[in-house]
């Protein structure tokens, strides 16, 4: 039985108000799984994210990417899982590691040196583009969407054409 993964979101802020409450409630998730190597070892970051998750009524777990790949298949049927990762590379690692992810929402990828604007909230560089297109080409439904109900922009070569 595959884990009941409702959605995976790429957001460099991980869990904050928008993810912890708006997305979690709209999905009907009862477990937020933060799959990120840094967050898995950062207690302060975990404390802040847990407070946000509490306000949505969902449980929250912090796993490294490797641990997520190893144990996701043991998730209980009653767990409606919302996975949050920091980067396209994290999402690609999970998919290539066998995590049964069918849908990825690209939420927030901040501007940084060397990154090109794709949308107002998503900036990407060549590595991000490579990872995003690899995910799209692996059969995962992947799109940029800020809030539930907003227009979805599917990840395509065209959408990422400005990124070098």
């Amino acid at each position: 039985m595959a884990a009941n993964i409702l959605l995976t979101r790429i957001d460099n802020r991980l869990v904050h108000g928008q993810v912890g409450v708006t997305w979690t409630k709209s999905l009907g998730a009862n477990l937020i799984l933060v799959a990120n190597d840094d967050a898995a070892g950062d207690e302060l970051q975990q404390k802040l994210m847990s407070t946000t998750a509490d306000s949505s009524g969902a449980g929250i777990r912090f796993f490294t990417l490797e641990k997520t790949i190893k144990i996701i298949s043991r998730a209980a049927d009653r767990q409606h899982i919302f996975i949050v990762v920091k980067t396209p590379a994290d999402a690609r690692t999970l998919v290539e590691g066998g995590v049964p992810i069918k849908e990825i929402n690209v939420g927030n990828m901040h501007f940084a040196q060397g990154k090109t604007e794709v949308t107002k909230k998503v900036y990407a560089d060549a590595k991000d583009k490579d990872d995003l297109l690899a995910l799209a080409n692996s059969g995962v439904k992947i799109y940029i969407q800020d809030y539930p109900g907003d227009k979805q922009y599917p990840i395509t070569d065209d959408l990422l054409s400005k990124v070098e």
Side-chain angles (χ1 to χ4, degrees):
M1 184 72 199
N4 191 357
I5 299 168
L6 304 173
L7 183 67
T8 298
R9 179 176 168 97
I10 298 170
D11 193 319
N12 59 359
R13 301 163 301 174
L14 294 172
V15 176
H16 50 90
Q18 184 183 331
V19 168
V21 181
T22 312
W23 277 100
T24 305
K25 286 194 164 151
S26 112
L27 291 168
N30 59 17
L31 179 64
I32 302 168
L33 196 168
V34 177
N36 178 266
D37 293 347
D38 294 335
D42 184 335
E43 286 182 28
L44 178 62
Q45 213 181 351
Q46 289 181 21
K47 208 178 236 170
L48 295 169
M49 288 190 250
S50 295
T51 304
T52 303
D54 286 347
S55 63
S56 73
I60 189 165
R61 302 282 179 282
F62 302 92
F63 293 164
T64 61
L65 297 173
E66 188 181 336
K67 183 173 181 180
T68 303
I69 290 165
K70 277 193 180 139
I71 72 165
I72 194 75
S73 62
R74 297 206 300 263
D77 289 346
R78 68 178 183 282
Q79 293 176 311
H80 299 271
I81 305 168
F82 177 26
I83 297 179
V84 182
V85 298
K86 198 168 208 153
T87 64
D90 285 354
R92 184 175 181 179
T93 298
L94 294 180
V95 169
E96 290 178 354
V99 176
I101 291 171
K102 294 179 188 70
E103 192 174 334
I104 297 175
N105 160 261
V106 182
N108 220 298
M109 291 169 52
H110 287 314
F111 175 76
Q113 198 65 46
K115 294 196 182 241
T116 304
E117 182 177 324
V118 179
T119 66
K120 283 183 174 59
K121 301 240 173 124
V122 176
Y123 293 79
D125 59 20
K127 168 88 173 98
D128 295 329
K129 178 179 181 175
D130 185 49
D131 291 329
L132 290 167
L133 290 174
L135 288 161
N137 295 330
S138 73
V140 173
K141 178 183 178 185
I142 181 167
Y143 53 87
I144 296 170
Q145 184 184 31
D146 196 20
Y147 282 100
D150 284 357
K151 182 171 169 33
Q152 296 182 357
Y153 298 91
I155 296 290
T156 60
D157 283 319
D158 276 358
L159 183 70
L160 300 176
S161 61
K162 292 183 294 195
V163 179
E164 297 185 358

